[in-house]
Amino acid sequence: MTKYGSFPGSRPRRLRTSPVMRRMVAETRLHPADFILPAFVREGVSEPVPIAAMPGVVQHTRDSLKKAAVEAVEAGVSGIMLFGVPEESKKDAVGTPGTDPEGILQVAIRDVRAEVGDELLVMSDLCLDETTDHGHCGVLDGEGRVDNDATLERYAEMAQVQADAGAHVVGPSGMMDGQIGVIRDALDQIGREDVAILAYTAKYSSAFYGPFREAVASSLQGDRKTYQQDPANWRESMRELALDLEEGADMVMVKPAGPYLDILARVADAVDVPVAAYQISGEYSMIEAAAEKGWVDRERAILETLTGIKRAGARNILTYWAVEAARMVR
């Protein structure tokens, strides 16, 4: 046989000859501890409510949420990120349910902690969008714009009530300037230096959030382009990263995951703190819809996308398939 460079001596296919060989030389491995389960709990419902745009995902009751938390523990999942959906009549301009100790999110945090203790990291969404009647992540000024600094005051209160309810980790997702520093100060003021902050460092204004809006019964009017990042930019993400770390973030996150693997890789290369990525609702729903039509192999597509996210640099992945994926990779 004619020799072409190192061929026929070099044959990379030798390392792909069997499942055992491929497993042995795999450079990226998924593990149940990689995963964090986002979960929705809805006030005032007696049965879990299916989310039409996210087949297989529900708005939990308090009881079904506790069962979901137990399942996550049994599967070896590391954490559960809780989103509260209050009754529509309780929403107002400043998101009062978000700072009410009896608000649905705070109640759910206490429920899950009572059910699983420290066997699962209980993480809380620290944002106002689920609790405001206008659906924005912050307080509006007289001209209908999100008031950054007034919103920070609300975030400080939210951090404290979520910590008091038992959150191990708070996840400020609103993309307000200065939010990490204000939240860290608020937690430290009440002696909760032990509560970690997962910073939504690079959160882009994405079309893929669509199904999530149904999941949290969003009341959004307009869009969030004045505070979420422009998909065209990456240097902006690195600036946000530097600021979040300076302000005291314990972990950082890129959201969405799949369309922003380049950002994820840049962030992971730049830091020495844990990096997470959120495989969001639209990413989930596209695969579920294609699988339902028989266009893709569902399980292979799930594992391939999760592997790609981890390969790009995520130590942890928020995914609605967390429990199922953990079972698949065990």
Side-chain angles (χ1 to χ4, degrees), residues 55-319:
V57 180
V58 301
Q59 294 172 326
H60 284 286
T61 66
R62 289 174 61 186
D63 285 340
S64 69
L65 177 66
K66 290 186 286 187
K67 293 176 183 176
V70 171
E71 288 182 356
V73 171
E74 293 171 346
V77 169
S78 286
I80 185 167
M81 176 66 79
L82 299 179
F83 296 85
V85 184
E87 293 179 356
E88 195 69 26
S89 62
K90 294 183 179 179
K91 295 180 181 181
D92 59 23
V94 296
T96 296
T99 49
D100 180 355
E102 297 306 314
I104 184 60
L105 180 54
Q106 287 70 252
V107 169
I109 294 168
R110 292 197 295 271
D111 284 345
V112 175
R113 282 299 305 271
E115 190 73 17
V116 299
D118 294 326
E119 293 187 82
L120 187 70
L121 286 174
V122 178
M123 304 177 171
S124 54
D125 179 55
L126 201 166
C127 194
L128 289 169
D129 59 324
E130 294 98 0
T131 60
T132 53
D133 53 14
H134 47 73
H136 278 285
C137 297
V139 178
L140 303 185
D141 65 16
E143 298 182 23
R145 302 170 301 189
V146 174
D147 185 324
N148 191 94
D149 295 3
T151 298
L152 294 182
E153 295 179 17
R154 299 290 294 135
Y155 284 3
E157 294 179 56
M158 292 182 75
Q160 292 176 342
V161 297
Q162 290 178 4
D164 285 342
H168 295 103
V169 180
V170 295
S173 59
M175 292 298 291
M176 296 297 121
D177 295 339
Q179 63 183 12
I180 302 302
V182 166
I183 290 167
R184 183 72 270 160
D185 286 346
L187 292 169
D188 292 351
Q189 285 171 15
I190 61 169
R192 296 309 307 271
E193 295 87 353
D194 57 321
V195 175
I197 300 176
L198 170 58
Y200 283 59
T201 290
K203 183 179 179 182
Y204 284 88
S205 180
S206 172
F208 294 98
Y209 295 133
F212 182 89
R213 305 274 163 80
E214 178 188 345
V216 297
S218 175
S219 305
L220 181 64
Q221 302 165 21
D223 59 48
R224 298 181 173 131
K225 292 181 179 180
T226 64
Y227 44 104
Q228 293 177 354
Q229 289 179 229
D230 184 341
N233 296 346
W234 71 265
R235 290 182 180 85
E236 185 179 19
S237 293
M238 305 312 289
R239 185 183 183 196
E240 292 278 5
L241 174 64
L243 291 168
D244 282 353
L245 293 175
E246 182 182 339
E247 292 174 26
D250 299 289
M251 299 171 276
V252 297
M253 183 160 66
V254 174
K255 180 182 181 181
Y260 298 91
L261 295 181
D262 60 323
I263 307 301
L264 176 58
R266 289 178 188 271
V267 169
D269 286 345
V271 302
D272 57 4
V273 299
V275 177
Y278 196 148
Q279 186 181 52
I280 66 169
S281 60
E283 299 175 75
Y284 172 92
S285 296
M286 286 192 301
I287 290 176
E288 290 289 349
E292 190 275 330
K293 289 184 175 292
W295 293 344
V296 298
D297 181 316
R298 180 179 177 277
E299 289 193 2
R300 284 185 62 193
I302 291 170
L303 293 179
E304 184 175 339
T305 56
L306 293 172
T307 299
I309 294 166
K310 187 171 183 182
R311 187 185 64 242
R315 186 176 304 180
N316 297 106
I317 305 170
L318 287 82
T319 175

Side-chain angles (χ1 to χ4, degrees), residues 5-23:
S6 59
F7 178 83
S10 293
R11 293 179 180 267
R13 285 184 58 194
R14 292 184 187 123
L15 301 183
R16 306 173 196 149
T17 53
S18 69
V20 174
M21 177 65 81
R22 293 190 293 273
R23 184 180 66 194

